Amino acid sequence: MNKKQKKMDIELPEKHNASMATDLAMLAMVTEFVIMLCFDMFVRNDLFGNLLCTIITLFLVVITYFIGLVPALATSLIFLLVLILESAREFVTGHHFFGTAFFWTIWPPLICITFYILTVQLRKLQGENLRLQNRLNQASTLDSETNLRTVEIFREHFHVFTNLSKDYHFPLYLFSYRIKYWNSISGILSRKEQHHLIRVVTEVINDVTTGHEFVYSIGNQPPTWAVLSSEAVDSNKRRFRDEVKQELAQRVNDDSLLNKVDIQLEASRVQYDPQEHPDASSFLQDGIHELQYDVSAGSADNR
């Protein structure tokens, strides 16, 4: 299991806890509203007063959502003070005592607090979903082993750069790389050594880029890389063919895990032609096909 999988496994329980807290807050909120509505329906000694208090409670919920819990509770205190004064006035004047005042002093703040907890949990859950979506998008656009762009991204870049190439009349090249005799090498190297070799090749290719090229991982069996470049100078061709092979040979020779095997890298270069390469697949296939004609594959023969 790779590091991304472990990290995702750790974060899934956190999302589960946020979801459970959201469900509990929603259940509490629904229960409180049901109790309030039942109170309005069955306690009829002051129907108009109950209706007014219900409207004020809903207003406090709106304040909680758009402004925050503290302003809502502050407004609730003002409502509580008015409620106490009105109850005292009715008692002093000899009218009936507002017997439901005790319920309305507790219920509006309780609903505001519950609603605030619900909104916090919902926003937390939305944030977790957004972060998970971002990770899924990143996982779908980057190869998990090399952290390079995938074939899907190459297809998107192909349409962009080929259109630019046609409009501004600059050449577009695809350099392809593949480890030669991969089936034999993979039988000699352990799984750990295979991953290490793929990382070494990826680092070598990345090291020769100048920031104006795009590097892709376009295959795993055998491991295959591609570089999209618009530089037409001969030194660029030598850099992406000879220097990559030489640097890989040196790195393999100095590596205690890899220097026991003869590791060779095939390389090819294909220039974009609108007639021969109408789509990204034909461009990639042409680059991979040209790899078989590379008779000067670099070697780090240490056997």
Side-chain angles (χ1 to χ4, degrees):
M1 183 181 294
N2 55 35
K3 293 182 179 179
K4 291 184 179 180
Q5 290 174 327
K6 290 182 179 179
K7 186 175 181 181
M8 186 169 293
D9 290 341
I10 293 173
E11 291 174 350
L12 284 177
E14 295 180 359
K15 183 180 178 182
H16 176 71
N17 293 336
S19 178
M20 181 175 295
T22 302
D23 294 339
L24 293 176
M26 178 68 74
L27 180 61
M29 191 71 191
V30 171
T31 302
E32 290 170 7
F33 267 103
V34 169
I35 293 175
M36 184 177 66
L37 292 177
C38 292
F39 187 85
D40 290 340
M41 293 173 59
F42 296 108
V43 181
R44 299 180 178 273
N45 58 338
D46 198 334
L47 184 60
F48 176 76
N50 289 338
L51 181 60
L52 180 62
C53 291
T54 301
I55 295 174
I56 293 175
T57 302
L58 295 176
F59 176 71
L60 293 174
V61 170
V62 173
I63 293 178
T64 303
Y65 182 78
F66 287 102
I67 302 179
L69 179 62
V70 175
L73 292 179
T75 307
S76 178
L77 289 176
I78 298 175
F79 167 66
L80 176 60
L81 179 61
V82 172
L83 189 63
I84 294 174
L85 292 177
E86 178 61 21
S87 299
R89 186 191 65 80
E90 290 188 0
F91 181 76
V92 171
T93 56
H95 297 287
H96 66 277
F97 179 73
F98 188 28
T100 58
F102 180 74
F103 176 83
W104 291 114
T105 57
I106 298 176
W107 221 246
L110 182 61
I111 288 182
C112 289
I113 294 173
T114 305
F115 185 76
Y116 176 77
I117 295 174
L118 176 62
T119 54
V120 168
Q121 294 300 325
L122 284 174
R123 288 167 183 166
K124 184 184 297 184
L125 193 60
Q126 289 173 352
E128 291 293 336
N129 288 334
L130 181 60
R131 284 190 288 272
L132 181 59
Q133 184 63 40
N134 291 335
R135 293 190 185 94
L136 290 175
N137 291 336
Q138 185 179 17
S140 63
T141 57
L142 296 180
D143 181 73
S144 59
E145 187 169 23
T146 62
N147 205 32
L148 295 177
R149 302 171 184 87
T150 59
V151 176
E152 288 75 15
I153 299 301
F154 176 83
R155 298 182 193 280
E156 297 179 5
H157 287 179
F158 174 83
H159 294 292
V160 175
F161 287 104
T162 52
N163 290 333
L164 291 174
S165 176
K166 295 174 185 176
D167 295 339
Y168 296 97
H169 306 289
F170 63 82
L172 193 63
Y173 296 96
L174 178 68
F175 294 88
S176 302
Y177 305 92
R178 183 173 61 193
I179 298 177
K180 198 172 185 180
Y181 310 125
W182 174 252
N183 290 335
S184 300
I185 291 175
S186 61
I188 299 173
L189 299 178
S190 65
R191 179 68 64 178
K192 177 182 177 181
E193 291 170 339
Q194 293 176 31
H195 293 327
H196 179 62
L197 173 59
I198 292 173
R199 287 195 297 269
V200 168
V201 176
T202 301
E203 291 173 1
V204 169
I205 296 175
N206 281 327
D207 288 343
V208 300
T209 59
T210 61
H212 302 287
E213 303 87 8
F214 293 89
V215 185
Y216 308 88
S217 174
I218 59 175
N220 295 321
Q221 294 297 330
T224 310
W225 296 260
V227 176
L228 194 62
S229 174
S230 60
E231 296 183 12
V233 295
D234 291 337
S235 60
N236 189 53
K237 176 181 178 181
R238 290 193 299 270
R239 177 162 56 91
F240 279 105
R241 285 177 58 89
D242 301 334
E243 291 186 18
V244 168
K245 294 180 181 181
Q246 293 171 4
E247 178 63 23
L248 178 63
Q250 183 63 41
R251 293 281 297 271
V252 169
N253 185 64
D254 297 337
D255 195 303
S256 60
L257 293 178
L258 304 176
N259 57 14
K260 60 184 179 182
V261 183
D262 176 26
I263 297 176
Q264 300 180 6
L265 192 67
E266 298 173 315
S268 68
R269 187 188 75 157
V270 175
Q271 182 173 355
Y272 168 70
D273 186 324
Q275 302 299 325
E276 297 181 4
H277 311 123
D279 51 37
S281 297
S282 60
F283 199 23
L284 274 178
Q285 290 173 0
D286 199 5
I288 295 174
H289 178 74
E290 289 296 319
L291 287 171
Q292 63 183 318
Y293 300 112
D294 182 18
V295 295
S296 60
S299 172
D301 193 352
N302 303 288
R303 294 175 297 179

